[in-house]
Structure formats: structure tokens, C-alpha cells
Amino acid sequence: MASTAITADTAPVFHLEEEHAHAEGGSTMLGFWLYLMSDCLIFAMLFAAFGVLGGNYAAGPAPKDLFDLGLVAVNTTMLLLSSITYGFAMLTMDKGRIGATQAWLVVTILFGLAFLSIELYEFAHMIHEGATPQRSAFLSSFFTLVGTHGLHVTFGIVWMVTLMVQVARHGLIEANRRRLMCLSMFWHFLDVVWIGVFTFVYLMGMLR
Amino acid sequence: MSAHDHVDRDHTHGGAAHGSLRGYLIGFVLSVILTAIPFWMVMSGAIDNKQATAIIIMAFAVVQIVVHMVFFLHMNPASEGGWSMLALIFTVILVVIVLSGSLWVMYHLNANMMPGLHEMRQMP
């Protein structure tokens, strides 16, 4: 024992240049988080544009003439409910219950579709009244900001359907769990962006 | 087996935590409250002062964003060895610079470049 201790002390120390092996997907979560942060910057730009241009109505309709806060409240509820149901899907995924996970994903998709339908109804209503994106700088920035968020929700739903097919085919394997966790971050992140949208665009628009 | 490995890795590396039913429910109840109050304030016009209302609903939004970050996105200083928190702080700094800088510059641009308002007021 003593001799091994001495050789261990005097033995040359090697600093390995190569990185030690990482498990597959070990850095996916951090990488996806960085993507979300860059997405956050896109929304920051759009919020800044809306903040600067949101008061330029060009003698056109103002937020008070266009927004229906009751509808926005229902919309917010839909997105919030879809967030919690996605959380339930993650909890059942942890327990490895495929059927329950798929069921919660379906519920989440339905809430997401309800959100999108209400938003599209609102857009159609506004455009029908002549409040098109071309009407004023306020409306251009409004449609860009809220439309970009809606587009993200749309792709989130497409992604969710894709993952449901994946889970149905391969089960809750490690790769699918990782993908579902990425989508979880994406979905909750969209809810965070929506907090900014309903506060700055809708509520503060009504206060103008 | 894979589920077991998975849980282990999360515990040792402090990766993305999954949260618990209790955590999700607390987050949900808090965010419902934090959403309902601003909507109620604006829809009922509870406070006459618009500026005060705006400041209060902005404060509610900030608190709700933090609630979502903690209870839904499971942010904590230890996740991913602190790197996700670092990225978040960097992004928040950039967002604050972009938003406050744009609003500040463009507000003064509007205020100073608007012909008429100032000169009209100074005219006899």
C-alpha cells in the first residue's frame, strides 16, 4: 500500500486535452435554452417597435376602438390552461404513463387551437373593420408582434403533433423525453411572452 | 432503467428539473391571480389615475413572469451548472437596453422633431 502511494505521488500528471465523453443529448437543454433567449431578443425588438410606434394611429382606429378585453381575457385563460396541462403531461411522462401523457398533450393542443382560433377571429374582425396592417404604424407593429407570437404557437402545435406521433411509435424513450422537455420550455416560454403582450399591448393600449 | 438513469442524472447534474404537481398548481393559481387583477383593474377602471394603473399592471406582469420562470420553466441558479441563469441574465440586460434605449431615444426624437407643437406654443 505504501509503495503505491509513493508512486502515485511521484507519477507524472497528464492533462488530457480531449474532452471527456458526454452523454447523448447532455447539452441539449442548455442549447435549447440559448435558442429561447435569442427568440426572446426577437420579441424584445418587436416590443420596442410597438413601444415606439404604438401611439401613431395616422388618424385611424386606436386600441380603444379595436380591442375587446373580454376576448383577450378568454384568450389568456386558454394559453394559461394549455401551460398547466402541458405541465401535467410532463408529470405523467416522468411516471412513464404513455396513454396519460398523450391525453394531456391532446388537451394542450386543443387549448392551443382555441387560443389561435380566438386570435384569428380577432384579426379577421379587425381587418374586416378596415384596421389592416397597412392602416397605421400602430397596426403594423401590432400585427407583427402579436402575429409573430401566434406563429410561434402554431409551430408549437405542429411540434406537439409530431412528438405525439413519435411517442406513439417509439414510446417514452430517452430521446422522446428530451424532445418533450424542449417543447415544454418552448411552450411555457410562449406563455411568458404572452404576459408581455397582454400587459403592454392590450391593457396599456386601453389606458392610452 | 432509462427512467432511473434519467432521474439520477438530473439530481447529480442539476439539469432541468421537472417540478411537481404541487409546484405546477401553485404556479397556476398565482398566475391566474396575477392575470385577473390587472384585467379587472383596466376593465373596471378601479383607479382613476391612468399612469398609476399602468405602473401597477407592469409590476404585476414582472411578478407573473418571475412566477412562470420559477414554477413552469423551473429556473434556478443551479440548473445546467448555472449557465442557463447566466444566459438569462445576459438576455435580460440586452432586453432592458433595447427597450429602454429605443423608447428613450424615440420619445425625445418625437418630442424635439415635432414641428408645430413647440413653436405654436411659443408664438404670441
mmCIF file of all heavy atoms in Angstrom, chain B residues 94-123:
data_model
loop_
_atom_site.group_PDB
_atom_site.id
_atom_site.type_symbol
_atom_site.label_atom_id
_atom_site.label_comp_id
_atom_site.label_asym_id
_atom_site.label_seq_id
_atom_site.Cartn_x
_atom_site.Cartn_y
_atom_site.Cartn_z
ATOM 1 N N LEU B 94 -29.715 42.735 -22.148
ATOM 2 C CA LEU B 94 -29.879 43.187 -23.531
ATOM 3 C C LEU B 94 -31.291 43.721 -23.763
ATOM 4 O O LEU B 94 -31.479 44.766 -24.404
ATOM 5 C CB LEU B 94 -29.609 42.032 -24.503
ATOM 6 C CG LEU B 94 -28.145 41.679 -24.766
ATOM 7 C CD1 LEU B 94 -28.079 40.630 -25.854
ATOM 8 C CD2 LEU B 94 -27.369 42.914 -25.184
ATOM 9 N N VAL B 95 -32.299 42.990 -23.226
ATOM 10 C CA VAL B 95 -33.680 43.404 -23.448
ATOM 11 C C VAL B 95 -33.927 44.769 -22.807
ATOM 12 O O VAL B 95 -34.576 45.641 -23.401
ATOM 13 C CB VAL B 95 -34.653 42.338 -22.877
ATOM 14 C CG1 VAL B 95 -36.064 42.868 -22.830
ATOM 15 C CG2 VAL B 95 -34.605 41.082 -23.733
ATOM 16 N N VAL B 96 -33.396 44.963 -21.610
ATOM 17 C CA VAL B 96 -33.594 46.248 -20.936
ATOM 18 C C VAL B 96 -32.947 47.366 -21.749
ATOM 19 O O VAL B 96 -33.531 48.434 -21.957
ATOM 20 C CB VAL B 96 -33.004 46.194 -19.506
ATOM 21 C CG1 VAL B 96 -32.902 47.586 -18.917
ATOM 22 C CG2 VAL B 96 -33.876 45.311 -18.627
ATOM 23 N N ILE B 97 -31.718 47.105 -22.280
ATOM 24 C CA ILE B 97 -31.045 48.140 -23.074
ATOM 25 C C ILE B 97 -31.856 48.445 -24.335
ATOM 26 O O ILE B 97 -32.109 49.609 -24.673
ATOM 27 C CB ILE B 97 -29.619 47.691 -23.450
ATOM 28 C CG1 ILE B 97 -28.743 47.636 -22.196
ATOM 29 C CG2 ILE B 97 -29.006 48.646 -24.464
ATOM 30 C CD1 ILE B 97 -27.375 47.049 -22.439
ATOM 31 N N VAL B 98 -32.307 47.387 -25.027
ATOM 32 C CA VAL B 98 -33.049 47.574 -26.283
ATOM 33 C C VAL B 98 -34.337 48.354 -26.024
ATOM 34 O O VAL B 98 -34.635 49.342 -26.707
ATOM 35 C CB VAL B 98 -33.375 46.205 -26.916
ATOM 36 C CG1 VAL B 98 -34.437 46.350 -27.985
ATOM 37 C CG2 VAL B 98 -32.123 45.588 -27.496
ATOM 38 N N LEU B 99 -35.099 47.922 -25.005
ATOM 39 C CA LEU B 99 -36.401 48.544 -24.774
ATOM 40 C C LEU B 99 -36.249 49.974 -24.269
ATOM 41 O O LEU B 99 -36.817 50.908 -24.844
ATOM 42 C CB LEU B 99 -37.204 47.714 -23.775
ATOM 43 C CG LEU B 99 -37.859 46.459 -24.344
ATOM 44 C CD1 LEU B 99 -38.606 45.725 -23.260
ATOM 45 C CD2 LEU B 99 -38.815 46.822 -25.471
ATOM 46 N N SER B 100 -35.466 50.140 -23.203
ATOM 47 C CA SER B 100 -35.386 51.481 -22.629
ATOM 48 C C SER B 100 -34.686 52.422 -23.593
ATOM 49 O O SER B 100 -35.100 53.570 -23.765
ATOM 50 C CB SER B 100 -34.663 51.436 -21.283
ATOM 51 O OG SER B 100 -33.374 50.916 -21.457
ATOM 52 N N GLY B 101 -33.635 51.930 -24.278
ATOM 53 C CA GLY B 101 -32.921 52.769 -25.230
ATOM 54 C C GLY B 101 -33.821 53.223 -26.370
ATOM 55 O O GLY B 101 -33.880 54.421 -26.689
ATOM 56 N N SER B 102 -34.572 52.282 -26.962
ATOM 57 C CA SER B 102 -35.439 52.653 -28.089
ATOM 58 C C SER B 102 -36.485 53.656 -27.653
ATOM 59 O O SER B 102 -36.705 54.682 -28.314
ATOM 60 C CB SER B 102 -36.147 51.421 -28.644
ATOM 61 O OG SER B 102 -35.234 50.417 -28.927
ATOM 62 N N LEU B 103 -37.149 53.361 -26.527
ATOM 63 C CA LEU B 103 -38.230 54.248 -26.094
ATOM 64 C C LEU B 103 -37.682 55.628 -25.760
ATOM 65 O O LEU B 103 -38.282 56.645 -26.127
ATOM 66 C CB LEU B 103 -38.938 53.640 -24.880
ATOM 67 C CG LEU B 103 -39.732 52.370 -25.190
ATOM 68 C CD1 LEU B 103 -40.309 51.782 -23.922
ATOM 69 C CD2 LEU B 103 -40.853 52.670 -26.182
ATOM 70 N N TRP B 104 -36.537 55.654 -25.100
ATOM 71 C CA TRP B 104 -35.960 56.928 -24.665
ATOM 72 C C TRP B 104 -35.580 57.782 -25.874
ATOM 73 O O TRP B 104 -35.983 58.941 -26.006
ATOM 74 C CB TRP B 104 -34.739 56.625 -23.791
ATOM 75 C CG TRP B 104 -34.044 57.815 -23.232
ATOM 76 C CD1 TRP B 104 -34.649 58.911 -22.683
ATOM 77 C CD2 TRP B 104 -32.633 58.032 -23.165
ATOM 78 N NE1 TRP B 104 -33.693 59.783 -22.259
ATOM 79 C CE2 TRP B 104 -32.444 59.282 -22.540
ATOM 80 C CE3 TRP B 104 -31.515 57.297 -23.545
ATOM 81 C CZ2 TRP B 104 -31.178 59.809 -22.301
ATOM 82 C CZ3 TRP B 104 -30.265 57.818 -23.308
ATOM 83 C CH2 TRP B 104 -30.093 59.052 -22.697
ATOM 84 N N VAL B 105 -34.807 57.158 -26.785
ATOM 85 C CA VAL B 105 -34.334 57.908 -27.948
ATOM 86 C C VAL B 105 -35.522 58.372 -28.796
ATOM 87 O O VAL B 105 -35.615 59.543 -29.172
ATOM 88 C CB VAL B 105 -33.377 57.041 -28.795
ATOM 89 C CG1 VAL B 105 -33.103 57.692 -30.128
ATOM 90 C CG2 VAL B 105 -32.084 56.804 -28.044
ATOM 91 N N MET B 106 -36.445 57.451 -29.083
ATOM 92 C CA MET B 106 -37.532 57.805 -29.989
ATOM 93 C C MET B 106 -38.503 58.798 -29.356
ATOM 94 O O MET B 106 -39.102 59.619 -30.049
ATOM 95 C CB MET B 106 -38.281 56.546 -30.431
ATOM 96 C CG MET B 106 -37.447 55.599 -31.269
ATOM 97 S SD MET B 106 -36.586 56.382 -32.638
ATOM 98 C CE MET B 106 -37.944 56.688 -33.736
ATOM 99 N N TYR B 107 -38.656 58.723 -28.019
ATOM 100 C CA TYR B 107 -39.524 59.701 -27.364
ATOM 101 C C TYR B 107 -38.970 61.107 -27.546
ATOM 102 O O TYR B 107 -39.688 62.039 -27.911
ATOM 103 C CB TYR B 107 -39.660 59.378 -25.870
ATOM 104 C CG TYR B 107 -40.399 60.446 -25.118
ATOM 105 C CD1 TYR B 107 -41.784 60.532 -25.200
ATOM 106 C CD2 TYR B 107 -39.713 61.392 -24.365
ATOM 107 C CE1 TYR B 107 -42.470 61.525 -24.544
ATOM 108 C CE2 TYR B 107 -40.395 62.389 -23.696
ATOM 109 C CZ TYR B 107 -41.770 62.458 -23.782
ATOM 110 O OH TYR B 107 -42.445 63.453 -23.139
ATOM 111 N N HIS B 108 -37.646 61.247 -27.322
ATOM 112 C CA HIS B 108 -37.049 62.570 -27.450
ATOM 113 C C HIS B 108 -37.018 63.025 -28.899
ATOM 114 O O HIS B 108 -37.170 64.211 -29.190
ATOM 115 C CB HIS B 108 -35.652 62.576 -26.839
ATOM 116 C CG HIS B 108 -35.698 62.641 -25.348
ATOM 117 N ND1 HIS B 108 -35.894 63.810 -24.665
ATOM 118 C CD2 HIS B 108 -35.651 61.670 -24.419
ATOM 119 C CE1 HIS B 108 -35.933 63.561 -23.377
ATOM 120 N NE2 HIS B 108 -35.796 62.261 -23.190
ATOM 121 N N LEU B 109 -36.832 62.046 -29.801
ATOM 122 C CA LEU B 109 -36.865 62.394 -31.224
ATOM 123 C C LEU B 109 -38.239 62.964 -31.579
ATOM 124 O O LEU B 109 -38.354 64.020 -32.202
ATOM 125 C CB LEU B 109 -36.575 61.148 -32.054
ATOM 126 C CG LEU B 109 -36.274 61.400 -33.526
ATOM 127 C CD1 LEU B 109 -34.894 62.007 -33.653
ATOM 128 C CD2 LEU B 109 -36.330 60.103 -34.305
ATOM 129 N N ASN B 110 -39.271 62.267 -31.126
ATOM 130 C CA ASN B 110 -40.622 62.743 -31.399
ATOM 131 C C ASN B 110 -40.858 64.113 -30.789
ATOM 132 O O ASN B 110 -41.408 65.012 -31.407
ATOM 133 C CB ASN B 110 -41.648 61.762 -30.816
ATOM 134 C CG ASN B 110 -41.973 60.666 -31.802
ATOM 135 O OD1 ASN B 110 -41.696 60.818 -32.988
ATOM 136 N ND2 ASN B 110 -42.535 59.594 -31.322
ATOM 137 N N ALA B 111 -40.416 64.252 -29.529
ATOM 138 C CA ALA B 111 -40.694 65.491 -28.809
ATOM 139 C C ALA B 111 -39.958 66.663 -29.439
ATOM 140 O O ALA B 111 -40.477 67.777 -29.489
ATOM 141 C CB ALA B 111 -40.294 65.337 -27.342
ATOM 142 N N ASN B 112 -38.733 66.420 -29.940
ATOM 143 C CA ASN B 112 -37.936 67.534 -30.445
ATOM 144 C C ASN B 112 -38.143 67.799 -31.922
ATOM 145 O O ASN B 112 -37.913 68.912 -32.381
ATOM 146 C CB ASN B 112 -36.446 67.267 -30.189
ATOM 147 C CG ASN B 112 -36.133 67.293 -28.724
ATOM 148 O OD1 ASN B 112 -36.724 68.066 -27.975
ATOM 149 N ND2 ASN B 112 -35.230 66.431 -28.296
ATOM 150 N N MET B 113 -38.544 66.782 -32.667
ATOM 151 C CA MET B 113 -38.655 66.965 -34.113
ATOM 152 C C MET B 113 -40.064 67.341 -34.540
ATOM 153 O O MET B 113 -40.305 67.609 -35.706
ATOM 154 C CB MET B 113 -38.255 65.677 -34.847
ATOM 155 C CG MET B 113 -36.848 65.235 -34.576
ATOM 156 S SD MET B 113 -35.641 66.368 -35.240
ATOM 157 C CE MET B 113 -35.642 65.861 -36.954
ATOM 158 N N MET B 114 -40.995 67.293 -33.601
ATOM 159 C CA MET B 114 -42.374 67.604 -33.974
ATOM 160 C C MET B 114 -42.480 69.084 -34.266
ATOM 161 O O MET B 114 -42.342 69.908 -33.365
ATOM 162 C CB MET B 114 -43.304 67.238 -32.816
ATOM 163 C CG MET B 114 -44.742 67.197 -33.207
ATOM 164 S SD MET B 114 -45.171 65.637 -33.957
ATOM 165 C CE MET B 114 -45.257 64.603 -32.518
ATOM 166 N N PRO B 115 -42.661 69.462 -35.528
ATOM 167 C CA PRO B 115 -42.806 70.882 -35.798
ATOM 168 C C PRO B 115 -44.182 71.319 -35.330
ATOM 169 O O PRO B 115 -45.086 70.521 -35.248
ATOM 170 C CB PRO B 115 -42.685 70.967 -37.317
ATOM 171 C CG PRO B 115 -43.152 69.651 -37.796
ATOM 172 C CD PRO B 115 -42.924 68.645 -36.701
ATOM 173 N N GLY B 116 -44.295 72.535 -35.009
ATOM 174 C CA GLY B 116 -45.646 72.975 -34.654
ATOM 175 C C GLY B 116 -45.820 73.097 -33.163
ATOM 176 O O GLY B 116 -45.801 74.202 -32.637
ATOM 177 N N LEU B 117 -45.897 71.920 -32.491
ATOM 178 C CA LEU B 117 -46.287 71.945 -31.079
ATOM 179 C C LEU B 117 -45.520 72.991 -30.279
ATOM 180 O O LEU B 117 -46.116 73.845 -29.630
ATOM 181 C CB LEU B 117 -46.089 70.571 -30.458
ATOM 182 C CG LEU B 117 -47.148 69.539 -30.840
ATOM 183 C CD1 LEU B 117 -46.869 68.233 -30.163
ATOM 184 C CD2 LEU B 117 -48.535 70.055 -30.508
ATOM 185 N N HIS B 118 -44.160 72.927 -30.358
ATOM 186 C CA HIS B 118 -43.384 73.838 -29.531
ATOM 187 C C HIS B 118 -43.522 75.276 -30.023
ATOM 188 O O HIS B 118 -43.827 76.187 -29.271
ATOM 189 C CB HIS B 118 -41.908 73.434 -29.559
ATOM 190 C CG HIS B 118 -41.667 72.167 -28.800
ATOM 191 N ND1 HIS B 118 -41.662 72.129 -27.441
ATOM 192 C CD2 HIS B 118 -41.458 70.908 -29.235
ATOM 193 C CE1 HIS B 118 -41.453 70.872 -27.053
ATOM 194 N NE2 HIS B 118 -41.331 70.119 -28.128
ATOM 195 N N GLU B 119 -43.294 75.409 -31.335
ATOM 196 C CA GLU B 119 -43.292 76.773 -31.880
ATOM 197 C C GLU B 119 -44.663 77.434 -31.737
ATOM 198 O O GLU B 119 -44.761 78.596 -31.429
ATOM 199 C CB GLU B 119 -42.879 76.762 -33.354
ATOM 200 C CG GLU B 119 -41.416 76.480 -33.575
ATOM 201 C CD GLU B 119 -41.175 75.100 -34.141
ATOM 202 O OE1 GLU B 119 -41.216 74.120 -33.383
ATOM 203 O OE2 GLU B 119 -40.966 75.018 -35.344
ATOM 204 N N MET B 120 -45.689 76.605 -31.934
ATOM 205 C CA MET B 120 -47.032 77.162 -31.828
ATOM 206 C C MET B 120 -47.275 77.718 -30.433
ATOM 207 O O MET B 120 -47.866 78.769 -30.263
ATOM 208 C CB MET B 120 -48.083 76.080 -32.103
ATOM 209 C CG MET B 120 -48.109 75.587 -33.522
ATOM 210 S SD MET B 120 -48.820 76.768 -34.644
ATOM 211 C CE MET B 120 -50.469 76.099 -34.768
ATOM 212 N N ARG B 121 -46.743 76.928 -29.444
ATOM 213 C CA ARG B 121 -46.997 77.347 -28.072
ATOM 214 C C ARG B 121 -46.249 78.639 -27.756
ATOM 215 O O ARG B 121 -46.710 79.466 -26.999
ATOM 216 C CB ARG B 121 -46.556 76.228 -27.116
ATOM 217 C CG ARG B 121 -47.654 75.869 -26.141
ATOM 218 C CD ARG B 121 -47.207 74.750 -25.252
ATOM 219 N NE ARG B 121 -47.515 73.452 -25.819
ATOM 220 C CZ ARG B 121 -46.745 72.384 -25.665
ATOM 221 N NH1 ARG B 121 -45.635 72.468 -24.980
ATOM 222 N NH2 ARG B 121 -47.110 71.243 -26.179
ATOM 223 N N GLN B 122 -45.034 78.771 -28.400
ATOM 224 C CA GLN B 122 -44.232 79.950 -28.086
ATOM 225 C C GLN B 122 -44.690 81.177 -28.864
ATOM 226 O O GLN B 122 -44.297 82.298 -28.567
ATOM 227 C CB GLN B 122 -42.755 79.656 -28.397
ATOM 228 C CG GLN B 122 -42.104 78.826 -27.286
ATOM 229 C CD GLN B 122 -40.952 78.001 -27.804
ATOM 230 O OE1 GLN B 122 -40.488 78.234 -28.916
ATOM 231 N NE2 GLN B 122 -40.505 77.052 -27.013
ATOM 232 N N MET B 123 -45.510 80.942 -29.872
ATOM 233 C CA MET B 123 -45.939 82.095 -30.684
ATOM 234 C C MET B 123 -46.854 83.000 -29.869
ATOM 235 O O MET B 123 -47.637 82.521 -29.061
ATOM 236 C CB MET B 123 -46.691 81.608 -31.919
ATOM 237 C CG MET B 123 -45.771 81.302 -33.075
ATOM 238 S SD MET B 123 -46.724 80.723 -34.477
ATOM 239 C CE MET B 123 -45.439 80.115 -35.520
#
